Amino acid sequence: MGERAVAEPMASSSPALPAGVSPTEKRQFVRRLFSTIAPRYDWFNRLASGGLARRWRIRTITEAKLEPGMRVLDVCTGTGDLVFLAAPKVGSTGHVVGLDFTWPMLARAVSKTSRDERHIAWLQGDAQQLPFRHATFDRVLIGFSTRNLSDLRQGLTDMLRIVKDEGQLLVLETGRPAHPVLRVGYWIFLRTVARFVGWALTGRAWPFTYLARSAQGFLTPAQMIALLTSCGATARYVPLSGGLASLYVVRKCPA
Ligand SMILES: C[S@@+](CC[C@H](N)C(=O)[O-])C[C@H]1O[C@@H](n2cnc3c(N)ncnc32)[C@H](O)[C@@H]1O
């Protein structure tokens, strides 16, 4: 299972990760954050999204058009929800790998795996240095974590490297509703209700302050598509629930 996460010192005492922190500091911060909230992550996800997050993951798997025998990688798998949706689609002739660098998140995914799911593998590793050969996977997925990467371009480039030429990368992320009223309502919701739910579940507010701020400060769909294009891909943007979440269906451009 590779290296295990060890408690790392906080790079900064500021809980919500101020602008200007180095990539190393962000990496340490993100790892510490998810180690802290891992025991309550699934509950937070369900309660704060009112079940919408599960619907968005199901839509991601539908758009991936998975078939029996396919090889799938879920980058930043967390507690493995996308893996558990993908595994029945590829069947026992296929293979699904869930990768994450935070051991306490991965440990929960491992504990949710049944004996029948032998075609699932869990791996501790970094999304920006994926330990796989060129063109290994039919599909690469990443859910709600592009905004956590310390170098998004490097992460996307590496994900595109390991997807087959005819394969697809599917990026699911919190969104930016086009309608201004919905957008402002969403930001207020993230900073108040979602943050309160997180605090009530974990006794800590700072992880949820960061999650709200990182969602609000993330790339617009146009910026994300421009970035993916500059990485050598074409991307289709699918707004989910009025843009509360964003799904990008990404293909490599022929070399
Ligand atoms: C918000 S959770 C998303 C989990 C899951 N994909 C889901 O849909 O619920 C983000 C996950 O990304 C992981 N992560 C963040 N940066 C990472 C990196 N550079 N390499 C590997 N995992 C990373 C965190 O450890 C955390 O488990």
Side-chain angles (χ1 to χ4, degrees):
M1 181 68 67
E3 44 143 6
R4 297 210 168 189
V6 290
E8 288 177 289
M10 267 286 278
S12 157
S13 58
S14 176
L17 198 65
V21 296
S22 72
T24 306
E25 287 172 328
K26 179 166 180 180
R27 190 178 183 280
Q28 290 178 345
F29 177 90
V30 166
R31 224 166 143 183
R32 180 173 185 266
L33 185 154
F34 285 102
S35 298
T36 303
I37 69 172
R40 294 285 176 272
Y41 177 80
D42 285 347
W43 276 108
F44 171 72
N45 225 264
R46 258 175 242 149
L47 294 176
S49 78
L52 277 176
R54 181 170 167 77
R55 284 176 55 183
W56 297 335
R57 290 191 192 94
I58 290 172
R59 177 68 186 276
T60 303
I61 296 300
T62 305
E63 290 283 343
K65 299 186 172 59
L66 298 179
E67 292 171 12
M70 279 186 169
R71 294 169 69 88
V72 179
L73 173 67
D74 180 29
V75 179
C76 300
T77 193
T79 59
D81 283 359
L82 279 168
V83 167
F84 293 116
L85 291 170
K89 305 277 183 196
V90 303
S92 57
T93 56
H95 194 58
V96 187
V97 180
L99 176 141
D100 201 286
F101 70 7
T102 306
W103 172 248
M105 292 290 277
L106 214 43
R108 304 201 78 79
V110 173
S111 72
K112 294 193 299 191
T113 316
S114 78
R115 283 172 182 271
D116 302 336
E117 293 172 313
R118 296 208 175 129
H119 58 309
I120 294 179
W122 303 106
L123 185 68
Q124 191 173 20
D126 194 319
Q128 292 164 207
Q129 287 178 307
L130 293 166
F132 301 103
R133 286 193 187 154
H134 179 84
T136 302
F137 293 96
D138 298 287
R139 299 287 184 271
V140 174
L141 319 172
I142 179 166
F144 304 115
S145 206
T146 42
R147 70 188 200 273
N148 294 316
L149 299 185
S150 51
D151 186 338
L152 179 54
R153 174 184 291 279
Q154 186 185 331
L156 292 172
T157 303
D158 214 28
M159 288 175 226
L160 288 165
R161 176 184 66 77
I162 60 164
V163 80
K164 293 179 183 173
D165 287 349
E166 66 283 10
Q168 283 179 20
L169 164 66
L170 289 105
V171 179
L172 173 64
E173 191 46 274
T174 49
R176 182 180 285 259
H179 196 289
V181 174
L182 186 57
R183 189 164 63 241
V184 171
Y186 187 37
W187 300 151
I188 293 171
F189 170 85
L190 288 175
R191 283 173 177 252
T192 55
V193 179
R195 199 162 154 263
F196 174 77
V197 170
W199 169 80
L201 286 169
T202 67
R204 292 173 178 88
W206 64 264
F208 307 97
T209 304
Y210 162 78
L211 292 174
R213 284 190 188 168
S214 62
Q216 192 169 350
F218 194 57
L219 303 184
T220 63
Q223 289 170 330
M224 186 67 164
I225 286 177
L227 177 59
L228 286 160
T229 305
S230 73
C231 293
T234 58
R236 176 166 61 90
Y237 166 57
V238 184
L240 304 176
S241 306
L244 296 182
S246 302
L247 175 62
Y248 302 90
V249 183
V250 187
R251 289 173 188 275
K252 279 182 180 182
C253 292

